[in-house]
Amino acid sequence: MKRRLFALLAVCAVALSACAGMAISDPAPVIELERDLSAPAEAEPFEAPEYEVVPFTSGNLVRSEDGKEVTLASYNYQTILLVLHNEGAVSPEDAEAAARNVEAFNAKMRTIHGELSEQGEALAGEAQEFYETFGPLSAEYEDDVTMAADFQGDIVSVCMERYTDAGGAHPNRYASCWLFDLAGGQFVDPTQIAEDPESFRTGAAALLLEKADAHPEREAFWQDYADIIAHWNEGAVRFTKEGMEVLYSPYGLGPYVIGEVELSLDWEELEPLIGPSGMARLGQGEME
């Protein structure tokens, strides 16, 4: 804001042409000067924490040691790590909470990655033994993992998809999921998001069973498929922009031939089961 500052100028000397004809006793003219006395700009407000995930990858290609350079096994494990995207723009309190989130999330991801790497080395060892026994008849072993994350409100859904071919009748593939609560700084069971966890579990189980009964592969499901669905929260669960998905890998609800089975509930179906505060945690409303 510009303020106007009025200053009385000293009486000009008679000899100065600018003041010619003025007597020493004449009052000094009042001259209005403009100065920019704007207040310093206010500091930018703090931003809410913005998270993202980055890939964390390792792998190996194993060849025979007999000089023939036969490929025996390959494994590639692409997991993820959590990072704070706008680290320099959050408040000190949010920065501290974010650091805890990143540490807790990444500790689990590194543990998973370490376990996968150990399994990859074991797979390579088995492939080497198989090659030494059967020679050219042995098949190349393969193990691949990819991870992705969905951010819904305070809940991060992490899902891992794995493809493994260890020389059996067919390759195997399955999915695993974990839910991380950014507000609480920990991994949680899906039912913990709801206001009434047990009501959410049983209510969602009933709806998911209806979906399963209408599935085109229903006749091929295991006889105890209803009991499996009753404990849906113990499986691979993720929240996306459409709602909740429960993923059953091959052999999860039926034989390998039917492949993966995905059962979903949209937000309209979830709202009465989760409750307002639970929906808000998932970015679907305001916390009361």
Side-chain angles (χ1 to χ4, degrees), residues 53-56 78-82 105-106 109 147-149 158:
V53 294
V54 295
F56 177 44
Q78 183 265 300
T79 54
I80 57 176
L81 295 175
L82 184 71
F105 185 98
N106 291 344
M109 294 298 106
M147 268 190 185
V158 180

Side-chain angles (χ1 to χ4, degrees), residues 134-161:
F134 298 99
L137 296 177
S138 62
E140 178 183 343
Y141 287 18
E142 183 180 356
D143 196 19
D144 292 297
V145 165
T146 57
M147 268 190 185
D150 286 284
F151 289 80
Q152 291 296 319
D154 289 331
I155 305 301
V156 185
S157 300
V158 180
C159 279
M160 178 182 79
E161 294 187 358

Side-chain angles (χ1 to χ4, degrees), residues 120-136:
E121 293 176 2
L123 183 75
E126 293 177 5
Q128 178 67 41
E129 293 178 3
F130 197 85
Y131 178 76
E132 292 173 355
T133 302
F134 298 99

Side-chain angles (χ1 to χ4, degrees), residues 34-281:
E34 286 191 356
R35 292 185 184 177
D36 189 354
L37 300 180
S38 300
E42 295 183 2
E44 292 293 329
F46 290 121
E47 298 177 2
E50 296 179 5
Y51 296 88
E52 60 183 346
V53 294
V54 295
F56 177 44
T57 304
S58 69
N60 198 10
L61 181 65
V62 182
R63 300 183 184 277
S64 64
E65 300 175 352
D66 58 3
K68 296 181 180 180
E69 291 295 309
V70 176
T71 300
L72 304 180
S74 63
Y75 54 89
N76 183 71
Y77 303 127
Q78 183 265 300
T79 54
I80 57 176
L81 295 175
L82 184 71
V83 297
L84 181 62
H85 177 68
N86 58 339
E87 183 176 359
V90 301
S91 69
E93 295 79 10
D94 283 343
E96 184 177 353
R100 291 195 299 268
N101 284 338
V102 168
E103 181 179 1
F105 185 98
N106 291 344
K108 186 172 185 66
M109 294 298 106
R110 289 193 176 97
T111 296
I112 293 171
H113 195 100
E115 293 172 348
L116 290 170
S117 296
E118 291 178 1
Q119 294 166 16
E121 293 176 2
L123 183 75
E126 293 177 5
Q128 178 67 41
E129 293 178 3
F130 197 85
Y131 178 76
E132 292 173 355
T133 302
F134 298 99
L137 296 177
S138 62
E140 178 183 343
Y141 287 18
E142 183 180 356
D143 196 19
D144 292 297
V145 165
T146 57
M147 268 190 185
D150 286 284
F151 289 80
Q152 291 296 319
D154 289 331
I155 305 301
V156 185
S157 300
V158 180
C159 279
M160 178 182 79
E161 294 187 358
R162 188 173 189 177
Y163 171 93
T164 304
D165 188 352
H170 53 71
N172 291 318
R173 39 187 208 282
Y174 70 86
S176 299
C177 297
W178 301 268
L179 302 179
F180 188 80
D181 181 5
L182 292 170
Q186 61 184 344
F187 286 89
V188 296
D189 183 276
T191 60
Q192 291 178 268
I193 298 172
E195 295 177 0
D196 186 333
E198 183 57 19
S199 293
F200 179 31
R201 186 189 69 80
T202 56
L207 292 178
L208 291 168
L209 185 57
E210 292 179 7
K211 309 277 185 177
D213 287 337
H215 194 277
E217 298 290 351
R218 159 64 187 86
E219 295 301 320
F221 289 173
W222 306 130
Q223 290 185 352
D224 63 344
Y225 77 97
D227 291 333
I228 297 172
I229 291 175
H231 299 89
W232 60 269
N233 58 299
E234 299 173 8
V237 179
R238 68 183 175 193
F239 291 93
T240 70
K241 62 181 180 180
E242 286 83 19
M244 185 180 77
E245 296 177 356
V246 183
L247 311 174
Y248 293 96
S249 303
Y251 297 117
L253 283 183
Y256 181 85
V257 68
I258 70 172
E260 297 90 351
V261 175
E262 177 184 306
L263 303 177
S264 304
L265 299 179
D266 61 31
W267 292 118
E268 186 176 354
E269 294 170 308
L270 290 168
E271 184 174 9
L273 303 176
I274 294 179
S277 64
M279 292 290 284
R281 292 175 68 184

